[in-house]
Amino acid sequence: MIEELIRPEIRSFIPYNANQQPYRIKLDANESPFNLPAAARQKLAEYVLKDPKLNLYPDTDSVELRKALSEHWTVDYKNIIVGTGSDQLIQVIANVFVGPGDKVLYPAPSFGMYGDSCIIAGGTPVKYILEPGQRFEYCKETIFEAYDREKPKLVYICNPNNPTGNIMPAADVLQVVRYCKNAVVVVDEAYAEFCDTTVIPHTLEFENLIVLRTFSKAYGLAGIRCGYSIAGPALTAAVNLARAPYNISRLSQYTAQLVLEEKDEIRKNVQYLVDQRKRLSGELEQIRGIQVFQSHSNFILVKADRCKEVYKKLCEKGIFIRIFGASPLLENCLRISVGTEQQNTILLDELKSICYND
Ligand SMILES: *Cc1c(COP(=O)(O)O)cnc(C)c1O
């Protein structure tokens, strides 16, 4: 009986299945290997011991955190919205703008939430294809054509793109924003710290531009579920219409503020991961049967002969990376998050032994 009550378009959904098995090295979710910096950890412990007020609802508007973010970006805090991860903001944006008959244009292969959030809101997802043969590069003209043809309400650009690692230059992103003037253009910059490409300074120039950021990747705070959007006043007010009250816990608001005070350490961690990405890419390229896509992020997409076997054998060794089941564009592809030097060395050694010895 329940089955028939579910909206038809949702019935075939498969709940998100993160691998929660015990592991030795976890390189499957683009998390940071760096935990909360020690100084921030100390302050968090003091906060909890003193009077964390966990019996009271948190600030529903996350004002202190938004003010800290506004200093970080030199934008008005009123133009920032904080979400329970940028995931939540993706869903909120769909809920505000998309209903039956409305289209959402987004890249493929890319992040699954763009299509899912559209379907959940009752809209029609439309993909624009990034060609594996063209190293998954974005093509402005492809987006323009799809925009003219489909007249979507939302257009997504994931920059750098997950899981392919490529970027669209900021000037091109802005051309898309200009061209798609009757749509909201959502630029998901979840990994932008790893490439220094951003369109945040342009959010006041274009009323249809919204940028998404997260604390889950470069800031190493996937565990607190905190992301945010930056956009002009009209778009920000619109997105706020469907945001859940009290959506960020006290502990998350406070922890995110603390990590913003640790700019030097975060910068150092990002540089470390960028250096390791270069090293890992270089060494992966040397392995027979592995093709490496250039990445501007904290993960690397590879195409591997005997992909499933490689994946399975790494799993057996307790090394988790990401495999892409259904997507034809990602046939034989694996995504490896960049870890610490030691983790990457172990991964490389195991990979070599799989690719050469058996
Ligand atoms: C990880 C990721 C996010 C953010 O996730 P949250 O943890 O919900 O902030 C957003 N977009 C992409 C493309 C991602 O890979």
Side-chain angles (χ1 to χ4, degrees):
M1 189 274 279
I2 299 295
E3 174 84 10
E4 282 97 73
L5 293 177
I6 302 172
R7 288 163 51 203
E9 60 273 30
I10 308 234
R11 272 178 218 162
S12 63
F13 269 43
I14 300 162
Y16 190 77
N17 181 16
N19 194 344
Q20 300 284 12
Q21 310 278 311
Y23 55 85
R24 179 154 67 114
I25 299 178
K26 190 173 183 320
L27 301 175
D28 63 346
N30 302 340
E31 293 144 318
S32 173
F34 300 108
N35 205 330
L36 188 64
R41 228 188 275 193
Q42 184 68 36
K43 288 181 201 160
L44 180 61
E46 283 161 15
Y47 173 87
V48 169
L49 288 173
K50 196 168 161 230
D51 183 12
K53 297 194 173 65
L54 296 186
N55 54 321
L56 304 179
Y57 282 109
D59 173 8
T60 188
D61 294 317
S62 303
V63 171
E64 282 189 46
L65 173 55
R66 284 159 67 218
K67 287 191 169 160
L69 284 165
S70 103
E71 275 180 36
H72 182 81
W73 288 111
T74 45
V75 299
D76 191 332
Y77 83 94
K78 295 196 173 97
N79 295 331
I80 301 173
I81 297 177
V82 187
T84 312
S86 42
D87 265 10
Q88 184 183 46
L89 295 172
I90 291 169
Q91 187 64 59
V92 170
I93 290 167
N95 292 346
V96 167
F97 294 104
V98 181
D102 296 330
K103 290 177 176 173
V104 176
L105 186 62
Y106 61 97
S110 189
F111 194 49
M113 272 299 290
Y114 310 145
D116 289 353
S117 59
C118 164
I119 295 169
I120 291 170
T124 306
V126 181
K127 294 171 181 162
Y128 64 90
I129 304 298
L130 309 174
E131 301 282 349
Q134 312 291 323
R135 297 186 292 143
F136 298 107
E137 295 298 337
Y138 279 103
C139 170
K140 282 175 292 186
E141 287 72 25
T142 305
I143 302 175
F144 296 166
E145 278 166 30
Y147 172 78
D148 288 336
R149 187 180 65 240
E150 307 285 350
K151 307 192 169 37
K153 277 195 158 181
L154 299 180
V155 177
Y156 271 93
I157 296 171
C158 184
N159 209 29
N161 189 40
N162 175 14
T164 56
N166 57 298
I167 47 169
M168 183 185 243
D172 287 6
V173 175
L174 295 177
Q175 277 192 36
V176 173
V177 175
R178 234 176 252 119
Y179 193 93
C180 303
K181 55 178 182 299
N182 293 319
V184 170
V185 178
V186 186
V187 182
D188 184 346
E189 297 188 340
Y191 302 95
E193 287 87 356
F194 300 103
C195 72
D196 286 329
T197 292
T198 181
V199 291
I200 287 177
H202 301 276
T203 43
L204 283 186
E205 277 164 54
F206 302 98
E207 69 167 5
N208 63 329
L209 168 63
I210 185 163
V211 179
L212 301 181
R213 288 278 183 145
T214 180
F215 285 96
S216 299
K217 310 291 162 54
Y219 283 85
L221 289 178
I224 71 164
R225 309 300 302 119
C226 200
Y228 57 97
S229 65
I230 302 182
L235 191 41
T236 299
V239 174
N240 242 332
L241 295 174
R243 181 176 61 86
Y246 308 121
N247 60 331
I248 314 295
S249 78
R250 273 180 193 278
L251 292 177
S252 294
Q253 290 186 34
Y254 191 70
T255 310
Q257 271 168 255
L258 287 177
V259 86
L260 283 174
E261 292 168 14
E262 303 295 330
K263 289 197 177 39
D264 290 342
E265 181 141 353
I266 299 302
R267 210 176 293 122
K268 194 182 82 199
N269 293 347
V270 166
Q271 188 55 49
Y272 176 98
L273 291 170
V274 168
D275 292 343
Q276 282 299 313
R277 174 185 79 210
K278 290 177 187 160
R279 170 207 170 208
L280 191 53
S281 283
E283 297 208 29
L284 285 167
E285 274 169 11
Q286 307 299 317
I287 302 176
R288 192 182 58 213
I290 290 187
Q291 181 198 339
V292 180
F293 292 94
Q294 194 194 359
S295 172
H296 298 267
S297 195
N298 69 334
F299 53 81
I300 298 168
L301 188 75
V302 301
K303 197 166 192 159
D305 299 348
R306 301 188 290 139
C307 162
K308 278 201 183 116
E309 187 190 333
V310 169
Y311 173 78
K312 197 164 149 272
K313 290 201 162 151
L314 283 175
C315 262
E316 284 164 11
K317 300 271 182 189
I319 301 171
F320 292 179
I321 62 172
R322 178 76 193 267
I323 190 166
F324 300 93
S327 172
L329 291 164
L330 293 172
E331 210 173 9
N332 298 323
C333 284
L334 299 165
R335 190 194 64 198
I336 304 166
S337 309
V338 178
T340 62
E341 180 175 7
Q342 193 196 12
Q343 291 175 326
N344 301 332
T345 300
I346 296 171
L347 168 88
L348 285 163
D349 289 346
E350 295 291 356
L351 258 181
K352 284 178 202 160
S353 105
I354 295 165
C355 291
Y356 292 121
N357 293 338
D358 33 39

